[in-house]
Amino acid sequence: MNDNPMPISGMELARYSGHATFMRLPHIPLDRDEGLDVALFGLPWDGGTTTRNGSRYGPRQIREMSTLLRSFHPTFHLNPYEIARIADVGDAPTNPVEFDTTLQQLQDFIGRITARGTVPLAIGGDHFCSFPMLRVLGRERPLGMVHFDAHTDMYDHYYKNSRYTHGTQFRRAIEEGLLDPKRVVQVGIRGTAFSEDEHDWLFAQGVRHIGMDFLRDKGPDAVAAEIRTVLGDGQSYLTFDIDALDPSCAPGTGVPEIGGINTYEAQRILRGLRGVDLIGADLVEVVPALDQSGTTALVAANLAFEIMCLLADRTAARKRRVAS
């Protein structure tokens, strides 16, 4: 009999009822860790935001909208909660007025998850939240990364000397040796730029861009194949900024850019990454106040489920290899 933590079915309790954990999973605090394979948690912090803030409220609304989801994946033909032990472990502690304190709090919290051999799946928060994840997961060896976004987030600084923002975190990660730039692929980058040479540094490092023209000309399956080629067989991280999507699909984000990925393309690309050696992931930049309909959070919840299925499937495959 499967004793994994299971979400509450909408056939048993109305989906607007119960505790608003992700998909109404059991809430298992870290001090009661029961050998989890995947831990979903919130990073309710937007201290790295440079424009419209409010993504600190994203984790709560994403959890609320996730109650509309069901547990069986229609393409993978699996229920992630049956093949892996998954729980919502709550929110990481933050200090909204102290940047350095929060960074250390996040690293400590994430470190407690990974020390148990559990794969972390974070819901943000602004995109700087990826940085403490990478500091923990990439401290022993540089990781590959697939990065869905409208922006590169590889600026050197903002406002003359601000080097730690939601637009600089991946440059810092490459500089600290947390990422192997030749195994980093960015999908959905578009929009206007500050200067003609804006991307020179990251291209010189070997970072791969997959633009919207490639996606529309070749299709999402070709994008997934290209991502797999860049990542190779090594351990990798997945980060999804909701502004990778076109604002017609996800308007509730701080820096929307027209001409983006649609929801089907996002699902199709993610599903094409099944089997990639992902050891952690995040989904970020949902700003509830900018989308009163809740559509952006609903889209984010669905994409988080897609990512969770990838992590659960990979975890189950690792267990099978060990058992054999």
Side-chain angles (χ1 to χ4, degrees):
M1 181 177 179
N2 193 331
D3 63 350
N4 288 352
M6 299 295 287
I8 299 173
S9 170
M11 297 296 247
E12 298 174 5
L13 183 68
R15 284 183 272 179
Y16 49 80
S17 306
H19 296 293
T21 56
F22 189 80
M23 292 181 70
R24 299 191 298 181
L25 278 165
H27 172 225
I28 301 179
L30 287 185
D31 59 3
R32 291 196 291 111
D33 186 333
E34 300 178 1
L36 298 178
D37 296 312
V38 180
L40 180 137
F41 60 99
L43 291 179
W45 191 70
D46 55 13
T49 302
T50 59
T51 50
R52 303 188 297 176
N53 61 6
S55 57
R56 67 182 68 182
Y57 299 104
R60 180 169 293 188
Q61 192 185 45
I62 292 170
R63 286 183 171 111
E64 179 182 351
M65 298 307 290
S66 75
T67 64
L68 295 173
L69 276 64
R70 304 173 185 87
S71 299
F72 188 78
H73 194 286
T75 301
F76 291 171
H77 300 288
L78 60 79
N79 180 331
Y81 309 108
E82 291 179 348
I83 64 173
R85 293 185 61 79
I86 304 170
D88 187 330
V89 299
D91 286 344
T94 64
N95 184 324
V97 296
E98 292 188 13
F99 189 98
D100 291 339
T101 299
T102 295
L103 178 56
Q104 189 60 55
Q105 286 178 309
L106 298 182
Q107 289 174 201
D108 291 345
F109 185 87
I110 297 160
R112 290 170 61 198
I113 293 173
T114 59
R116 294 165 165 81
T118 303
V119 177
L121 172 54
I123 304 296
D126 74 41
H127 214 158
F128 187 79
C129 292
S130 297
F131 189 64
M133 291 280 278
L134 292 170
R135 268 195 169 171
V136 172
L137 293 168
R139 60 190 167 194
E140 294 183 0
R141 69 282 178 243
L143 303 174
M145 182 177 73
V146 53
H147 171 201
F148 295 87
D149 206 321
H151 315 98
T152 67
D153 293 355
M154 289 195 187
Y155 293 108
D156 184 49
H157 59 271
Y158 268 75
Y159 310 117
K160 295 185 179 180
N161 59 2
S162 296
R163 292 169 55 80
Y164 292 91
T165 76
H166 70 162
T168 62
Q169 72 278 10
F170 297 127
R171 184 159 179 160
R172 301 288 90 82
I174 290 174
E175 291 171 346
E176 290 191 13
L178 308 173
L179 291 173
D180 175 358
K182 293 181 174 57
R183 294 184 56 237
V184 171
V185 55
Q186 300 184 311
V187 184
I189 309 300
R190 62 190 186 277
T192 52
F194 287 113
S195 65
E196 184 178 3
D197 62 355
E198 184 171 296
H199 297 158
D200 286 359
W201 181 87
L202 62 100
F203 287 148
Q205 312 309 307
V207 173
R208 172 76 168 95
H209 273 191
I210 299 177
M212 290 305 303
D213 289 340
F214 183 97
L215 170 56
R216 291 287 150 77
D217 291 344
K218 303 293 186 180
D221 292 345
V223 172
E226 184 69 11
I227 293 169
R228 299 177 74 99
T229 296
V230 175
L231 296 181
D233 297 329
Q235 293 184 330
S236 298
Y237 188 78
L238 188 155
T239 180
F240 201 114
D241 187 326
I242 202 68
D243 73 25
L245 301 182
D246 190 84
S248 63
C249 303
T253 190
V255 192
E257 303 282 359
I258 65 169
I261 303 169
N262 65 40
T263 53
Y264 171 76
E265 291 167 337
Q267 285 182 311
R268 183 89 178 198
I269 295 168
L270 288 171
R271 292 171 184 179
L273 302 184
R274 188 177 190 181
V276 170
D277 193 8
L278 297 174
I279 63 169
D282 66 59
L283 187 147
V284 296
E285 295 286 0
V286 172
V287 182
L290 297 178
D291 181 5
Q292 296 296 318
S293 72
T295 298
T296 305
L298 176 62
V299 170
N302 276 272
L303 295 179
F305 177 71
E306 294 286 344
I307 296 167
M308 180 180 287
C309 288
L310 292 174
L311 299 178
D313 186 62
R314 192 59 178 159
T315 296
R318 290 191 194 105
K319 284 183 171 181
R320 288 193 296 270
R321 284 201 307 270
V322 171
S324 62

